[in-house]
Amino acid sequence: MKIFGIDPGSERTGYGCVEQSGSRHHLVLCGSLAAPATATFPERLKHIHAGLVALLAESQPDCVAIESIFHARNVRSALRLGHARGVALLAASEAGLQVAEYAPAEIKRAVVGYGRAEKPQIQQMVKLLLGLDRVPSPHDAADALAVAICHLHNSTGSVAETVRRYRAPRTTVRSWREYRPS
Amino acid sequence: MKIFGIDPGSERTGYGCVEQSGSRHHLVLCGSLAAPATATFPERLKHIHAGLVALLAESQPDCVAIESIFHARNVRSALRLGHARGVALLAASEAGLQVAEYAPAEIKRAVVGYGRAEKPQIQQMVKLLLGLDRVPSPHDAADALAVAICHLHNSTGSVAETVRRYRAPRTTVRSWREYRPS
């Protein structure tokens, strides 16, 4: 099962594709799409859309996972984010893929085991779960991988297991941040 | 000069293309795109995008005009509107067209001559300016035509003239609503 996660943004859109084989997660690809700083807003949207269309064709996922958003700093930022999210959903729909949406707290719970986890915790957990040698960069890519992992956990019913396995580190966040996978 | 106006919405997206020859405006086409009620949100976006791509190819405009939005009822409606507006801007950008944005008050001023005009006034004025036998229906189509007309007036510098020509009816809104072009 292969999931393509998207973390949309009008400045930078993160993406990350994760494959599950057995109980292991593998990184297929990840990164972020950013249009040139001189691009107009419609050009930015075209850049995001064209990038995602190409990446979806390349990675051939079974499903797309994206963060559901019901709040934003303000109406203006919600509008801008909506534009980017709109072209991301369009790319998924054009590829004939189902879109699964997860609330931020669900993603955190599925990945870290705690719905109010901080960004660095999520990044470290993504690195750990995918067996990477470093935290995926930029952070939009890590966020996109997190939502893909969230969907894998939800669709394979292993949320509870993940939570159980990784509950201990949560109690010692300070030292956990320095955790290195063997 | 041919302008394609768009009034985006996640439920229904109005469009209208207006051509100017000399001092006259002509209707090229107008209408609204609405996905089936059973469609998912990504499917709706695909429907809007595919429809606009086809209509832009058919009408071959010189430019796209769209309402700029900096406010919405709330963050949630801003997000939904942003999605629809995003795929509309994408369609314009993919067609290699420039996008002109106008604030609601600018559109009203350019079409009716009064920045706080009511919807029925705008609809009647669109009908009058395009020499139509009835108000364009649905109202999203009239709104899209209004933004296209606004851009024509702005680019041909005839705003002041339009305002002057149609200032009288504004003072008698009650009777003006029943106005019929000869």
Side-chain angles (χ1 to χ4, degrees):
Chain A
M1 189 152 178
K2 213 191 269 182
I3 311 299
F4 193 96
I6 305 176
D7 177 41
S10 58
E11 296 298 314
R12 197 181 275 276
T13 288
Y15 61 86
C17 186
V18 177
E19 188 166 21
Q20 178 159 37
S21 49
S23 64
R24 298 283 302 163
H25 299 321
H26 300 284
L27 174 70
V28 179
L29 53 79
C30 75
S32 94
L33 297 162
T38 55
T40 62
F41 190 57
E43 283 167 358
R44 273 176 200 284
L45 297 175
K46 189 173 148 191
H47 187 86
I48 294 168
H49 177 258
L52 290 176
V53 165
L55 288 160
L56 288 170
E58 184 188 330
S59 56
Q60 293 284 322
D62 298 298
C63 177
V64 165
I66 194 165
E67 197 175 286
S68 64
I69 303 143
F70 298 112
H71 61 272
R73 260 176 305 138
N74 55 50
V75 165
R76 187 160 184 167
S77 67
L79 262 168
R80 284 186 80 84
L81 178 56
H83 284 70
R85 205 168 176 276
V87 300
L89 292 181
L90 175 68
S93 182
E94 285 174 336
L97 297 166
Q98 287 270 314
V99 178
E101 300 191 45
Y102 293 97
E106 280 180 289
I107 299 168
K108 290 170 179 174
R109 241 189 331 267
V111 176
V112 181
Y114 173 52
R116 296 172 70 182
E118 302 280 339
K119 284 256 178 201
Q121 287 175 282
I122 298 166
Q123 290 165 6
Q124 287 294 337
M125 206 62 190
V126 165
K127 174 185 153 188
L128 174 65
L129 288 170
L130 298 178
L132 308 177
D133 60 349
R134 56 184 175 80
V135 165
S137 168
H139 67 82
D140 316 78
D143 292 345
L145 289 169
V147 64
I149 292 169
C150 169
H151 183 65
L152 278 176
H153 288 180
N154 270 284
S155 44
T156 56
S158 62
V159 186
E161 192 199 330
T162 311
V163 171
R164 204 164 44 243
R165 272 164 62 199
Y166 298 112
R167 182 161 290 164
R170 179 163 63 86
T171 56
T172 54
V173 172
R174 217 172 287 262
S175 66
W176 181 81
R177 283 203 187 181
E178 287 143 27
Y179 181 88
R180 295 277 176 279
S182 55
Chain B
M1 190 153 180
K2 215 190 267 181
I3 311 299
F4 193 97
I6 306 176
D7 177 41
S10 58
E11 296 298 315
R12 195 182 276 276
T13 288
Y15 61 87
C17 185
V18 178
E19 188 166 20
Q20 178 159 37
S21 50
S23 64
R24 298 284 300 164
H25 299 322
H26 300 284
L27 174 70
V28 178
L29 52 78
C30 75
S32 95
L33 297 161
T38 54
T40 63
F41 190 57
E43 282 167 357
R44 272 175 201 284
L45 296 175
K46 189 173 148 191
H47 187 85
I48 294 168
H49 178 257
L52 290 176
V53 164
L55 288 161
L56 288 170
E58 183 188 331
S59 55
Q60 293 285 323
D62 298 299
C63 177
V64 166
I66 194 165
E67 197 174 286
S68 65
I69 303 143
F70 298 110
H71 61 272
R73 259 176 306 140
N74 54 50
V75 164
R76 188 161 183 166
S77 68
L79 262 168
R80 284 186 81 83
L81 178 56
H83 284 71
R85 205 168 176 276
V87 300
L89 292 181
L90 175 68
S93 182
E94 284 174 336
L97 296 167
Q98 287 271 313
V99 178
E101 300 191 45
Y102 292 96
E106 281 180 289
I107 299 168
K108 289 171 180 174
R109 241 190 328 268
V111 176
V112 181
Y114 173 53
R116 297 172 70 182
E118 303 281 338
K119 285 258 181 201
Q121 289 175 280
I122 298 165
Q123 290 165 7
Q124 286 295 337
M125 207 61 190
V126 165
K127 174 185 153 189
L128 174 65
L129 288 170
L130 298 178
L132 308 176
D133 61 348
R134 58 185 173 80
V135 165
S137 169
H139 66 83
D140 317 77
D143 292 346
L145 289 169
V147 65
I149 292 169
C150 170
H151 184 65
L152 277 176
H153 289 180
N154 270 284
S155 43
T156 56
S158 63
V159 185
E161 193 198 329
T162 311
V163 170
R164 207 165 40 243
R165 271 166 60 201
Y166 298 112
R167 182 159 289 163
R170 178 165 64 87
T171 56
T172 54
V173 172
R174 216 172 287 262
S175 66
W176 182 81
R177 282 204 187 179
E178 286 143 27
Y179 181 88
R180 295 277 176 281
S182 53

